[in-house]
Amino acid sequence: MIYRLIVFVFLLTFFLSCSHQKSSTAKEKGDTITLKYAENLTMVRFSNYTLVDLKNPWKQGKSLHRYIVLHNRHTVPSASLPQGTIIKQPISRSVVFGTAHASLLLMLKAHAQIAGVCDLKYMLLPNIHNQVKVGKIIDCGDGMMPNVEKIVEMGADALLVSPFENSGGYGALDKLGIPLIECADYMETSPLGRAEWMKFYGLLFCREKEADSLFQEVETAYLKSKKEVNQITYCPSVLTERRTGTTWYVPGGRSTIAIMLKDAGAKYPFSDTSASGSIPMAFENVLEKAGESDVWIFKYNDKNDITRNELLAEYGGYRTLKAFKTQNIWACNASYKPYFEETPFRPDYLLKDFIILLHPSKDKQQLRYFKQVK
């Protein structure tokens, strides 16, 4: 009888101990990775994985995607993990759908982890083009209709795609079973907020140190330029972009461009709007609200630099703009200027350009992207 009692007490102690261990494991507290500017991204590090949550920028309070980034790619996922898309770190054979993210991976020294790209013709990245020529990177075709067979054949382990509001998913890509990394950084509401997403990409590719170092460099340079503007009293008003078809898409008041123009010491006519993306407008509405802007800036892609005569040939209404009359038009020709490759994650470069072209005392020879339209 005493023997049975001893065995019972031993077994009870054993099961209680196991139960406590399981409870402790289930309640493991992670360490939140500090993000100073990004609003739509949170990362929490646990012992074996990092939990990454992307907020839906179009639906307040909703989630866009959750990722479980396993620190050891040989770890077998267990039922105890949270629900989400499993990513085994590091991503080694990615397909990149955007020039900005391909450029960032080059900055982070992760070029060997790019196995394929889409929309190669829009990438002003000599390194990528050279790797495609020698067969080290596969051209997967148009980003809207990618070559799924090539993506499967190359053994891709992640696809870096750009989500859009009401897109309805990614078609055939959704059925491949390959993790989709939804690169929603462009919907952040501050330049440094978008740039800070490089820490997420650094995590995925095991380039965290490089990402932290690069972001610190970007942040320091950006804040330094912003501080210098405080000493300048001149505050010009700025109109951006140009008419596309019958519509003029202006950056919303909470977009990174609107924030950057403010940081550059400019007045932005549409700063009172709440959109973080672009707002479609008729020319008449643009003229009414921004026709008297001191400066007009836009970007385009053409073999030759655009002229004022060509702008008029495109749309005669431009002549009513104050900046057109005063010839204060500045444009970036993205066919040879790496605007789309650099500025998403190097907003310090673009802020410096804005400050130089907006303020008369600055040396225009130092401009990185923009030239005055002749």
Side-chain angles (χ1 to χ4, degrees), residues 50-52 54 65-69 85 87 180-182 200:
T50 298
L51 182 67
V52 181
L54 310 185
H65 211 127
R66 166 171 278 189
Y67 298 98
I68 315 300
V69 184
T85 299
I87 305 291
L180 295 173
I181 310 301
E182 299 199 84
F200 169 44

Side-chain angles (χ1 to χ4, degrees), residues 302-372:
D302 204 338
K303 292 181 180 179
N304 302 310
D305 289 341
I306 200 166
T307 65
R308 292 174 71 248
N309 286 338
E310 287 171 335
L311 283 172
L312 282 183
E314 174 184 292
Y315 183 62
Y318 290 148
R319 62 166 46 91
T320 59
L321 300 173
K322 175 185 175 181
F324 190 93
K325 298 173 185 176
T326 60
Q327 301 186 39
N328 203 357
I329 312 170
W330 299 82
C332 168
N333 190 341
S335 71
Y336 63 89
K337 293 289 186 179
Y339 180 97
F340 294 106
E341 287 71 23
E342 294 180 343
T343 62
F345 297 101
R346 291 301 311 238
D348 53 315
Y349 288 168
L350 185 54
L351 177 63
K352 188 174 181 180
D353 248 31
F354 282 167
I355 292 172
I356 291 173
L357 71 84
L358 290 175
H359 301 290
S361 61
K362 299 294 183 180
D363 181 9
K364 303 300 185 281
Q365 296 298 318
Q366 296 181 10
L367 286 169
R368 187 181 188 92
Y369 306 111
F370 291 90
K371 292 174 63 176
Q372 190 168 20

Side-chain angles (χ1 to χ4, degrees), residues 106-355:
L106 296 182
M107 295 180 202
L108 297 181
K109 299 179 175 58
H111 51 279
Q113 291 156 269
I114 302 175
V117 294
C118 287
D119 292 330
L120 177 65
K121 61 184 177 182
Y122 298 121
M123 293 185 176
L124 196 63
L125 297 167
N127 183 296
I128 298 294
H129 283 270
N130 291 336
Q131 294 296 298
V132 170
K133 285 180 181 178
V134 299
K136 290 187 177 180
I137 292 179
I138 304 301
D139 179 1
C140 297
D142 191 316
M144 299 303 291
M145 296 183 64
N147 190 318
V148 175
E149 288 76 16
K150 285 186 177 181
I151 292 174
V152 173
E153 286 174 5
M154 74 173 65
D157 55 3
L159 311 178
L160 275 66
V161 298
S162 293
F164 296 96
E165 185 177 15
N166 302 320
S167 66
Y170 299 96
L173 299 179
D174 285 323
K175 304 174 184 177
L176 297 181
I178 302 173
L180 295 173
I181 310 301
E182 299 199 84
C183 304
D185 48 81
Y186 75 97
M187 288 301 293
E188 281 290 338
T189 57
S190 73
L192 290 177
R194 181 178 189 180
E196 200 167 24
W197 275 59
M198 69 174 67
K199 296 182 180 181
F200 169 44
Y201 304 122
L203 168 73
L204 297 176
F205 289 85
C206 275
R207 299 289 174 177
E208 292 170 273
K209 289 183 178 179
E210 289 85 351
D212 288 341
S213 177
L214 178 59
F215 182 74
Q216 185 175 7
E217 178 185 338
V218 171
E219 180 189 32
T220 300
Y222 190 97
L223 295 179
K224 181 182 178 182
S225 293
K226 182 180 175 181
K227 187 176 180 180
E228 290 175 358
V229 173
N230 295 335
Q231 313 300 321
I232 303 174
T233 57
Y234 177 63
C235 190
S237 52
V238 180
L239 170 64
T240 69
E241 310 313 326
R242 79 188 213 257
R243 197 168 176 263
T244 303
T246 59
T247 306
W248 194 310
Y249 293 92
V250 302
R254 296 188 69 225
S255 65
T256 57
I257 290 297
I259 301 301
M260 204 176 301
L261 288 171
K262 178 183 177 182
D263 291 343
K267 294 177 183 176
Y268 182 54
F270 304 98
S271 61
D272 58 346
T273 59
S274 60
S276 55
S278 294
I279 305 172
M281 286 192 172
F283 176 75
E284 292 72 22
N285 299 122
V286 173
L287 181 64
E288 179 182 359
K289 195 159 187 176
E292 290 300 306
S293 296
D294 301 306
V295 185
W296 179 20
I297 60 176
F298 61 85
K299 50 195 176 294
Y300 65 104
N301 192 310
D302 204 338
K303 292 181 180 179
N304 302 310
D305 289 341
I306 200 166
T307 65
R308 292 174 71 248
N309 286 338
E310 287 171 335
L311 283 172
L312 282 183
E314 174 184 292
Y315 183 62
Y318 290 148
R319 62 166 46 91
T320 59
L321 300 173
K322 175 185 175 181
F324 190 93
K325 298 173 185 176
T326 60
Q327 301 186 39
N328 203 357
I329 312 170
W330 299 82
C332 168
N333 190 341
S335 71
Y336 63 89
K337 293 289 186 179
Y339 180 97
F340 294 106
E341 287 71 23
E342 294 180 343
T343 62
F345 297 101
R346 291 301 311 238
D348 53 315
Y349 288 168
L350 185 54
L351 177 63
K352 188 174 181 180
D353 248 31
F354 282 167
I355 292 172

